[in-house]
């Protein structure tokens, strides 16, 4: 597997008195590698089982008992698009073995970040990792998601959280994009059925 060579930055905020912000640099060489979940479910199934993380002995640098992950996308007025996040979260939870993983939509759909934050706390989370399911950094990552998460955290004193980098420039995304292209070309040639994204739309064809 190819390692991520371009570092990303993440912002940590603690809700305790005298709030402080710290910026850390992370890369795929850490004990808790980032999993890329774009593309057909077969892409996820083909990841090595070594990515399943133990949650028995969690530490500051990895997910453990008492930790939760919220995967946040933009949100859509299209119900089918929102349901796909639920499917991805289920795959992510199954693949990683993380104890608490919840979906959230930044806007336009439920559950909101506030809803999912509360759900994580209700399940026993003491530390929450908010992972933006966005390709590149932008206003939503720099402003909107941090603001919404900070508001959600106000309802739960003592619960710390971190907002990770978006997917960014990861070499595995090259494989994901190429896999999607290959499948669509195969469907256009009549070799395979439509993928779950295009199913029933008839869009995957040459014009």
């Amino acid at each position: 597997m190819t390692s991520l060579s371009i570092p990303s930055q993440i912002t940590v905020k603690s809700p305790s008195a005298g709030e402080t912000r710290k910026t850390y640099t992370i890369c795929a060489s850490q004990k808790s590698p980032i999993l890329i979940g774009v593309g057909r479910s077969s892409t996820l199934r083909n990841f090595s089982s070594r990515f399943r993380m133990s949650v028995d002995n969690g530490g500051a640098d990895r997910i453990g008992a008492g930790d939760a992950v919220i995967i946040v996308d933009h949100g859509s007025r299209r119900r089918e698009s929102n349901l796909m996040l639920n499917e991805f979260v289920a795959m992510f939870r199954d693949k990683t073995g993380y104890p608490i993983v919840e979906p959230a939509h930044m806007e336009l759909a439920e559950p909101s970040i506030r809803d999912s934050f509360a759900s994580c706390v209700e399940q026993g989370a003491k530390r929450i990792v908010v992972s933006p399911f966005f390709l590149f950094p932008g206003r939503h990552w720099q402003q909107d998601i941090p603001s919404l998460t900070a508001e959600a955290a106000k309802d739960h004193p003592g619960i710390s959280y971190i907002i990770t980098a978006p997917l960014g420039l990861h070499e595995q995304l090259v494989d994901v994009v190429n896999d999607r292209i290959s499948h669509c070309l195969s469907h256009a040639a009549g070799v395979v059925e439509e993928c779950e994204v295009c199913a029933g739309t008839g869009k995957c064809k040459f014009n």
Side-chain angles (χ1 to χ4, degrees):
M1 188 189 100
T2 306
S3 297
L4 175 63
S5 59
I6 300 176
S8 302
Q9 289 189 329
I10 51 179
T11 302
V12 183
K13 182 173 181 182
S14 171
S16 59
E19 292 180 338
T20 59
R21 290 178 181 271
K22 296 181 181 179
T23 300
Y24 294 84
T25 298
I26 62 172
C27 64
S29 62
Q30 288 183 316
K31 294 180 180 178
S32 182
I34 297 172
L35 298 184
I36 301 302
V38 183
R40 296 201 309 278
S41 58
S42 60
T43 304
L44 283 173
R45 288 195 297 269
N46 289 335
F47 281 157
S48 168
S49 60
R50 70 177 178 273
F51 284 111
R52 178 174 285 278
M53 308 298 292
S54 171
V55 299
D56 294 331
N57 299 298
D61 62 340
R62 60 192 185 277
I63 299 294
D67 292 336
V69 175
I70 298 175
I71 299 179
V72 185
D73 72 356
H74 185 280
S76 173
R77 292 185 177 88
R78 185 173 180 267
R79 179 175 177 271
E80 291 80 4
S81 297
N82 296 323
L83 290 176
M84 289 189 71
L85 179 64
N86 295 345
E87 294 181 19
F88 174 73
V89 166
M91 288 190 293
F92 182 88
R93 184 188 299 113
D94 178 67
K95 190 68 180 180
T96 62
Y98 294 161
I100 306 172
V101 185
E102 293 291 333
H105 307 290
M106 191 187 73
E107 60 183 6
L108 301 176
E110 300 295 335
S112 65
I113 292 176
R114 181 186 292 273
D115 293 337
S116 294
F117 200 102
S119 177
C120 290
V121 174
E122 289 172 2
Q123 294 175 69
K126 302 300 182 184
R127 190 175 69 163
I128 296 177
V129 178
V130 179
S131 179
F133 200 41
F134 289 75
L135 192 54
F136 298 120
R139 187 192 59 162
H140 293 324
W141 176 66
Q142 294 182 356
Q143 300 178 19
D144 299 332
I145 293 176
S147 176
L148 291 167
T149 306
E151 285 299 313
K154 288 180 180 178
D155 297 331
H156 307 281
I159 303 299
S160 61
Y161 66 87
I162 182 172
I163 298 173
T164 71
L167 300 178
L169 297 175
H170 196 299
E171 287 193 20
Q172 286 181 349
L173 284 174
V174 175
D175 296 331
V176 170
V177 171
N178 191 46
D179 179 70
R180 183 65 74 193
I181 291 172
S182 297
H183 187 89
C184 288
L185 288 176
S186 295
H187 172 69
V191 178
V192 298
E193 296 295 326
E194 291 177 310
C195 68
E196 72 280 2
V197 177
C198 298
T201 66
K203 290 182 176 293
C204 197
K205 63 183 179 181
F206 284 102
N207 296 301

